[in-house]
Each structure stands twice: as C-alpha cells, then as structure tokens.
C-alpha cells in the first residue's frame, strides 16, 4: 500500500515496484497479486524477474512495464486482454507468438534489446501484423531483426497505422525506404525513460540506467 499510495488494497489501480531486486512474484513475502485484481497500471522494471506467470491473474491491466529484467516468456500476459501498453525492453525474450490473440488491443509495444534472431523475423512480423491498433513499436537491438530497409518497409506495410518505429516518427519518406533525415529534420533522440507511472517511452534506450 505504501508503494501504491493507497489506504486500501481494493483501491489500488496503479503500482510502481521498480529497483527492488525482485526475483519472484510468488515467493512468500513478495507482492500478493491475488489481492490486486483491479490493478490497471504496473511497473516492475529494473528487477531480476525471470517468471511472470502470476501476472496472468491481473486481467484488468492496461499497462505493464517489465523493462530491464531477465524474462524469457511473456505468454502469461495473454490473459490480459485489456492491455494497451507493454514495455519489455532489455529482457531475454525470443518469441511473442500468440500476443496478437491474447492482447489484441495493444497500441504501444517495446521489445528493444531482447533475444530475437533474424531467422524469427517472419514469425515476429506475423505477430505484429495481427495487432492493427499498434501505434508505437520498438524492435531494435535484436540480432538484426528488421534492420534491413526491405524488412522495415515490410513491417510498415503490415502496420499502416504505425506512428513510431524504434523511436523514429514514421513518415512517408520512412515508408518509402529513404534514409532518415532525407528532406526533413532528423528526429530527436528518444532515449528510454520511465514515465510518471513507471511506463517508459522505450525506444532507443541509452546506455545509462533509467530513473
């Protein structure tokens, strides 16, 4: 309750629990998520989590920040159908297959600096293409995934409503495959940072730690 700033568990809608060296969500003495069914915004960034299975019970979540952990599997979040913002930069995720089915309302997704490989780009493309509401997606620093201009054009083709890709504003020039800055000012660097609720603008994370 102290972390959430509320007087009653029933009133908790937003919880920021970052930089706590948290290794488990189910061990005794950690967060009791069974009492937080109404939680809507959750930040667990900058911890040491590997397993997020308990998050499956938080079906009211609309925003979750898992940046800077050791997570390999995001599938427990497939139970969170109302999720709109998912930030999972700097983890160990190699696949998000099924995310388009479990979280069809996603508008912002950060997978920057994970363990995707170029060989998995087609699977990732199918998943992202199944999320038509996406407005912002970060997939940089993932073993060459979507690094080639042709791959980025294909990604933009399946996401015609995308507004930001890896921190760069999507313009007609970018969709055409021209280099950034051709005919317009280059976008300002959007280094990753935690917002007021612990949600980041996670695009091109700088080498420094976030607040």
């Amino acid at each position: 309750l102290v972390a959430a700033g509320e007087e009653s568990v029933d009133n908790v809608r937003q919880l920021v629990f970052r930089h706590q060296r948290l290794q488990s969500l189910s061990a005794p003495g950690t967060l009791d998520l069974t009492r937080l069914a109404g939680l809507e915004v959750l930040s667990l960034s900058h911890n040491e989590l590997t397993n997020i299975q308990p998050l499956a019970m938080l079906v009211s979540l609309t925003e979750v920040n898992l940046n800077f952990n050791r997570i390999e599997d995001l599938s427990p979040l497939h139970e969170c159908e109302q999720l709109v913002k998912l930030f999972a930069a700097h983890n160990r995720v190699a696949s998000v297959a099924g995310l388009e089915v479990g979280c069809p309302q996603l508008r912002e997704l950060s997978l920057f600096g994970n363990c995707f490989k170029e060989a998995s780009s087609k699977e990732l493309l199918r998943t992202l293409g199944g999320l038509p509401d996406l407005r912002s997606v970060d997939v940089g620093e993932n073993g060459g995934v979507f690094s080639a201009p042709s791959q980025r054009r294909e990604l933009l083709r399946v996401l015609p409503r995308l507004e930001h890709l890896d921190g760069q504003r999507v313009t007609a020039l970018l969709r055409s495959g021209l280099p950034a800055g051709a005919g317009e000012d280059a976008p300002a660097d959007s280094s990753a940072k935690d917002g007021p609720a612990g949600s980041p603008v996670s695009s091109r994370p700088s080498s420094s730690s976030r607040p």
Side-chain angles (χ1 to χ4, degrees):
L1 292 178
V2 173
E6 298 286 355
E7 296 181 358
S8 170
V9 171
D10 295 334
N11 296 330
V12 176
R13 296 292 179 268
Q14 175 177 304
L15 180 61
V16 177
F17 207 76
R18 56 182 183 245
H19 291 289
Q20 299 297 314
R21 297 183 179 178
L22 191 64
Q23 297 181 345
S24 172
L25 295 174
S26 56
T30 58
L31 292 174
D32 185 1
L33 297 178
T34 62
R35 304 177 63 192
L36 296 169
L39 199 63
E40 297 174 358
V41 178
L42 174 64
S43 176
L44 295 170
S45 69
H46 297 84
N47 281 294
E48 301 171 9
L49 295 172
T50 58
N51 188 329
I52 59 168
Q53 184 60 46
L55 296 187
M57 69 182 72
L58 302 180
V59 295
S60 296
L61 277 181
T62 61
E63 177 179 334
V64 63
N65 180 348
L66 300 169
N67 291 341
F68 292 95
N69 277 280
R70 302 170 183 174
I71 300 162
E72 297 181 6
D73 182 14
L74 295 175
S75 64
L77 295 175
H78 295 180
E79 302 299 320
C80 306
E81 296 182 357
Q82 299 181 51
L83 204 60
V84 175
K85 300 179 181 182
L86 168 56
F87 306 103
H90 294 285
N91 278 281
R92 300 174 181 176
V93 179
S95 173
V96 288
L99 188 65
E100 75 281 17
V101 177
C103 305
Q105 300 184 57
L106 276 178
R107 292 176 62 89
E108 296 184 35
L109 174 64
S110 178
L111 298 170
F112 193 100
N114 274 277
C115 296
F116 294 91
K117 302 299 182 185
E118 189 170 1
S120 64
S121 60
K122 289 185 178 180
E123 177 191 279
L124 183 56
L125 184 67
R126 284 194 299 269
T127 297
L128 297 179
L131 295 166
D133 290 335
L134 273 181
R135 295 295 183 274
S136 175
V137 63
D138 302 322
V139 290
E141 300 296 331
N142 270 296
V145 172
F146 299 131
S147 59
S150 60
Q151 293 176 320
R152 296 175 79 81
R153 284 197 301 271
E154 182 65 12
L155 177 59
L156 293 173
R157 184 188 67 79
V158 302
L159 292 172
R161 302 167 72 181
L162 196 68
E163 298 172 358
H164 292 89
L165 173 59
D166 289 337
Q168 185 177 35
R169 185 167 55 88
V170 175
T171 64
L173 287 174
L174 184 60
R175 289 188 179 279
S176 71
L178 294 178
E184 63 177 53
D185 292 334
D189 179 42
S190 54
S191 297
K193 53 186 177 294
D194 283 321
S199 60
V201 179
S202 174
S203 308
R204 290 178 182 164
S206 62
S207 57
S208 59
S209 298
R210 304 180 195 182

